[in-house]
């Protein structure tokens, strides 16, 4: 049974299809990578899956529930979360608070209880804080727990977004270029984090240009070009595919 | 750490509030202080919307006026007890804010400013024209605030009510900000899409904070009506709405104590500046401009940062 099933999905921007008639499935417990040259529609696909954009046509099933057109916060409640290629950090908050927002759904936020700071609120917050600190250490940005997000370096912010997404306890985690802009050492560390996340049973969908990372991590790869499926299969299969090689290397050169 | 700062801030405020009246030579000073306290409470509520959630309202004087008129009308025409009238006014304003919030909070930036401005203006016009209910431009006279057999009167009385209410408002605001709801509000300010993908229904929280801040304004408006004795549509004018926003911005956005400081300064300053007579407005404008140019984050956050930096280097 598939965790995510995408059928005939399309998204047009003023006549241009950024995603075109795309169908694929993602099985639970796998690391699934989506590759393709710049502008291939990878981020648009993420935006469609997570409800940030509404598709022009097509359907998306999550756990066999039709989620097409549902807003992101409802999908988060169903167990889906993501990070962003262009960071979407809460720069007006501390690092730890950023992660604690990630745990929003698990805190039963109530206005009156929050206004009065009832003991129940404080107790849940204390437990949540501890868990979020652990998550920050898990992704490798623990030393920034009390820092203002605005004062953190780029690499740490990338990790912070992963920690925030994990705090929502997703079953499906979508990472949009988590290693972009990082040096080789940092990339390897992110690699380890993704493996560790997957080992916890979270299904990971990864968009990444770092081919070494993609080939090493993925159970399954989907290659896109101009919004269409170019190839699909295991890393070995996709790596041998002549269309992929020409599209990818052609664009890279 | 945050807990300690909160208690210290509240304690300091309580002490200042308690000591202040000792420096008042006459009743006129109480008048100014009461006005400052009332404005401060409205601004603490407005700051939740503007400073923390990153939304704007140029119509909050309208909610203040609705609270005031609800209290005046209910107590005078229907002899409703003042506290009941205050609560009824708050419920009415809260419901109104709830109904209009959903469509307008989908707007952003200038559009949101325009929409809230429009609401303020509509309220102002209704207060002016529906004379059968509101007394039109002449306004309505109001009675003292009574609770059972206790009657609130005199300068001192209102001062302590205003001070107590401000402490309560600041306490509630500090609590809220450091809670799951408050973090969700601040997340809306930080990145709406970032908040949505971890489960924050951003529309819900924008509506919620709009209603809360409107209720703050309404409650203060109700008390204001009883304190002042005569209310006119002017209390809900566009100018008053702008003044409230200016107080929040001057004191410091996303700072509860900043909202208080901004409200106090802009309430007191005109009285200090009467020495400048005709140039009062000009001096006020200059002070505002210099602050905004040199301290765009507002007074309290800027000073707090300088203080932290000095302590760090010491
Ligand atoms: N909001 C939008 N409005 C208009 N066009 C858009 C929008 N978002 C994406 N596009 C277009 O859709 C196409 C796919 O963009 P997308 O960002 O999905 O590519 P990508 O595969 O993520 O590329 P990259 O590797 O550079 O991140 C591009 O041509 C882009 O210009
Ligand atoms: Mg992209």
């Amino acid at each position: 049974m598939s965790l995510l099933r995408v059928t005939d999905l399309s998204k047009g921007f003023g006549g241009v299809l950024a995603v075109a008639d795309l169908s694929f499935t993602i099985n639970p417990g796998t690391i699934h990578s989506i590759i393709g040259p710049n502008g291939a529609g990878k981020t648009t696909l993420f935006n469609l899956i997570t409800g940030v954009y509404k598709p022009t046509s097509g359907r998306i099933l999550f756990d066999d529930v039709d989620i097409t057109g549902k807003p992101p916060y409802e999908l988060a409640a169903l167990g889906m979360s993501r990070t962003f290629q262009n960071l979407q950090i809460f720069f007006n908050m501390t690092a730890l608070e950023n992660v604690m927002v990630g745990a929003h759904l698990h805190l039963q936020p109530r206005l009156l209880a929050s206004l009065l700071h009832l003991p129940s609120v404080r107790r849940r917050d204390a437990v949540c804080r501890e868990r979020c600190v652990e998550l920050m250490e898990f992704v490798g940005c623990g030393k920034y727990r009390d820092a203002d997000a605005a004062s953190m370096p780029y690499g740490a912010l990338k990790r912070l977004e992963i920690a925030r997404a994990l705090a929502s306890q997703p079953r499906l985690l979508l990472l949009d270029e988590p290693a972009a802009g990082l040096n080789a050492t940092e990339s390897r560390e992110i690699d380890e984090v993704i493996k560790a996340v997957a080992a916890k049973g979270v299904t990971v969908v990864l968009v990444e240009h770092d081919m070494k990372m993609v080939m090493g991590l993925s159970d399954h790869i989907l290659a896109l070009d101009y919004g269409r499926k170019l190839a699909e299969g295991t890393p070995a299969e996709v790596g041998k595919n002549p269309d992929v090689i020409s599209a990818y290397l052609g664009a890279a050169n | 750490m945050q807990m300690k700062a909160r208690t210290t801030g509240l304690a300091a405020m309580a002490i200042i509030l308690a000591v202040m009246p000792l420096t008042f030579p006459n009743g006129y000073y109480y008048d100014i202080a009461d006005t400052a306290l009332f404005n401060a409470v409205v601004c603490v509520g407005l700051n939740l919307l503007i400073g923390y959630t990153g939304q704007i309202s140029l119509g909050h004087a309208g909610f203040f006026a609705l609270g005031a008129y609800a209290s005046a009308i209910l107590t005078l025409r229907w002899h409703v007890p003042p506290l009941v009238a205050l609560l009824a006014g708050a419920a009415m304003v809260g419901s109104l804010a709830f109904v209009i919030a959903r469509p307008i909070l989908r707007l952003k930036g200038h559009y949101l400013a325009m929409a809230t401005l429009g609401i303020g203006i509509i309220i102002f016009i209704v207060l002016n024209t529906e004379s059968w209910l509101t007394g039109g431009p002449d306004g309505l006279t109001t009675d003292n605030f009574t609770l059972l057999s206790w009657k609130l009167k005199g300068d001192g009385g209102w001062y302590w009510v205003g001070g107590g209410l401000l402490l309560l408002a600041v306490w509630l605001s500090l609590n809220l900000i450091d809670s799951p709801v408050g973090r969700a509000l601040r997340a809306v300010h930080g990145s709406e899409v970032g908040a949505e993908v971890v489960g924050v229904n951003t529309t819900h929280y924008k509506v919620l904070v709009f209603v809360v801040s409107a209720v703050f304004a309404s409650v203060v408006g109700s008390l204001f009506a009883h304190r002042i004795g005569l209310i006119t549509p002017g209390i809900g004018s566009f100018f008053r709405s702008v003044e409230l926003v200016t107080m929040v911005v001057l004191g410091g956005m996303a700072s509860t104590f900043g909202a208080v400081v901004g409200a106090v300064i802009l309430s007191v300053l005109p009285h200090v500046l009467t020495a400048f007579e005709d140039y009062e407005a000009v001096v006020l404008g200059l002070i505002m401009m210099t602050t905004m140019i040199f301290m765009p984050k507002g007074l309290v956050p800027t000073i707090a940062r300088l203080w932290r930096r000095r302590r760090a280097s010491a």
Side-chain angles (χ1 to χ4, degrees):
Chain A
M1 194 198 73
S2 58
L3 184 61
L4 190 79
R5 178 181 296 277
V6 170
T7 330
D8 299 326
L9 194 68
S10 296
K11 175 69 181 177
F13 293 110
V16 183
L17 286 179
V19 169
D21 289 327
L22 197 59
S23 301
F24 65 94
T25 59
I26 290 176
N27 292 325
T30 56
I31 299 182
H32 196 111
S33 287
I34 297 170
I35 62 169
N38 292 114
K42 306 179 294 293
T43 298
T44 304
L45 178 60
F46 266 28
N47 284 335
L48 290 170
I49 295 172
T50 56
V52 176
Y53 291 162
K54 307 239 175 300
T56 310
S57 62
R59 288 208 315 160
I60 307 169
L61 302 186
F62 182 50
D63 236 0
D64 290 331
V65 179
D66 191 343
I67 57 161
T68 321
K70 278 204 200 316
Y73 68 87
E74 281 184 27
L75 301 183
L78 292 176
M80 192 190 283
S81 194
R82 68 174 285 186
T83 65
F84 295 86
Q85 183 178 357
N86 55 338
L87 296 171
Q88 294 292 338
I89 294 284
F90 313 127
F91 284 112
N92 53 337
M93 301 167 84
T94 68
L96 180 55
E97 284 173 337
N98 266 268
V99 184
M100 287 176 80
V101 174
H104 181 77
L105 289 168
H106 306 282
L107 287 172
Q108 304 163 27
R110 293 272 173 278
L111 178 64
L112 204 58
S114 290
L115 279 168
L116 300 176
H117 241 222
L118 293 183
S120 60
V121 173
R122 279 185 307 220
R123 222 176 308 118
R124 268 197 295 269
D125 256 19
V127 175
C128 169
R129 188 168 290 120
E130 236 169 81
R131 245 201 68 229
C132 290
V133 169
E134 282 168 19
L135 280 175
M136 288 179 75
E137 272 153 15
F138 174 71
V139 302
C141 65
K143 69 172 175 173
Y144 294 104
R145 57 170 284 182
D146 293 318
D148 286 328
S151 70
M152 290 167 64
Y154 184 77
L157 292 172
K158 288 261 186 229
R159 294 164 195 261
L160 187 63
E161 270 207 347
I162 300 177
R164 181 179 71 190
L166 287 174
S168 72
Q169 302 179 12
R171 286 179 296 151
L172 181 69
L173 175 65
L174 299 97
L175 303 170
D176 198 348
E177 306 205 9
L182 303 186
N183 64 34
T185 323
E186 288 174 323
S187 289
R188 258 199 315 279
E189 286 165 6
I190 292 289
D191 202 305
E192 293 305 316
V193 169
I194 295 171
K195 272 193 207 134
V197 170
K200 287 183 178 185
V202 178
T203 306
V204 177
V205 185
L206 177 70
V207 165
E208 187 49 66
H209 283 295
D210 182 336
M211 272 306 146
K212 215 165 88 203
M213 181 187 258
V214 169
M215 291 298 170
L217 272 178
S218 315
D219 299 303
H220 197 88
I221 297 179
L222 168 69
L224 297 183
D225 198 15
Y226 297 107
R228 290 175 192 281
K229 188 194 289 183
L230 197 61
E232 193 178 16
T234 63
E237 288 163 4
V238 172
K240 285 201 299 262
N241 187 302
D243 292 338
V244 173
I245 293 170
S246 70
Y248 223 78
L249 296 185
N253 291 335
Chain B
M1 189 184 80
Q2 230 158 4
M3 200 75 172
K4 214 176 109 214
R6 169 164 53 201
T7 341
T8 325
L10 272 171
M13 235 179 71
I15 292 169
I16 293 170
L17 282 168
V19 174
M20 267 320 260
L22 301 176
T23 70
F24 295 167
N26 55 45
Y28 173 62
Y29 280 72
Y30 274 107
D31 244 20
I32 301 173
D34 294 351
T35 307
L37 291 174
F38 279 38
N39 282 335
V41 177
V42 178
C43 286
V44 167
L46 193 56
N47 178 49
L48 293 172
L49 176 76
I50 299 180
Y52 284 112
T53 319
Q55 312 300 307
I56 180 78
S57 170
L58 291 176
H60 259 55
F63 297 128
F64 176 91
L66 284 181
Y69 273 87
S71 273
I73 293 165
L74 288 175
T75 52
L76 285 173
R77 300 259 162 97
W78 287 293
H79 307 290
V80 175
L83 184 64
V84 178
L86 177 147
L87 295 175
M92 181 199 75
V93 169
S95 316
L96 176 72
F98 179 78
V99 171
I100 60 180
R102 203 163 263 276
I104 67 168
L105 286 170
R106 263 198 234 127
L107 306 170
K108 286 188 183 10
H110 302 311
Y111 299 102
L112 179 60
M114 294 299 289
T116 52
L117 172 73
I119 284 155
I121 289 176
I122 290 170
I123 293 172
F124 181 66
I125 291 175
V126 169
L127 295 179
N128 258 308
T129 53
E130 300 302 307
S131 307
W132 60 276
L133 186 65
T134 66
D138 296 336
L140 291 173
T141 53
T142 51
D143 235 336
N144 282 323
F145 192 90
T146 51
L147 189 56
L148 302 174
S149 64
W150 175 69
K151 190 169 184 177
L152 178 59
K153 57 174 191 286
D155 302 322
W158 279 112
Y159 179 85
W160 297 119
V161 168
L165 193 67
L166 179 58
L167 283 174
L168 177 68
V170 168
W171 181 70
L172 291 175
S173 170
L174 293 173
N175 283 346
L176 184 68
I177 284 320
D178 188 23
S179 77
V181 172
R183 286 192 298 270
L185 295 177
R186 287 183 287 156
V188 169
H189 193 179
S191 162
E192 283 193 32
V193 67
E196 285 259 332
V197 298
V198 285
V200 177
N201 180 348
T202 54
T203 314
H204 168 79
Y205 282 98
K206 286 195 259 182
V207 171
L208 184 76
V209 73
F210 192 75
V211 170
V212 168
S213 65
V215 166
F216 267 63
S218 170
V219 167
V220 180
S222 286
L223 292 172
F224 174 85
H226 291 290
R227 177 172 84 83
I228 212 78
L230 170 71
I231 53 170
T232 56
I235 62 171
S237 70
F238 167 61
F239 177 75
R240 273 288 293 160
S241 287
V242 173
E243 197 177 32
L244 292 170
V245 172
T246 314
M247 287 170 176
V248 172
V249 176
L250 174 75
M253 298 221 273
S255 158
T256 301
F257 290 108
V260 175
V261 169
V264 169
I265 290 178
L266 282 190
S267 307
V268 173
L269 211 52
H271 300 279
V272 178
L273 294 179
T274 45
F276 292 92
E277 294 185 5
D278 295 347
Y279 299 105
E280 182 195 317
V282 178
V283 176
L284 195 62
L286 277 176
I287 292 175
M288 292 291 311
M289 273 174 55
T290 7
T291 320
M292 284 303 98
I293 291 168
F294 294 106
M295 304 183 177
K297 284 192 187 325
L299 288 170
V300 170
T302 310
I303 291 169
R305 211 186 49 217
L306 288 177
W307 174 252
R308 272 202 303 271
R309 215 181 277 165
R310 258 194 54 184
R311 274 226 310 218
S313 63

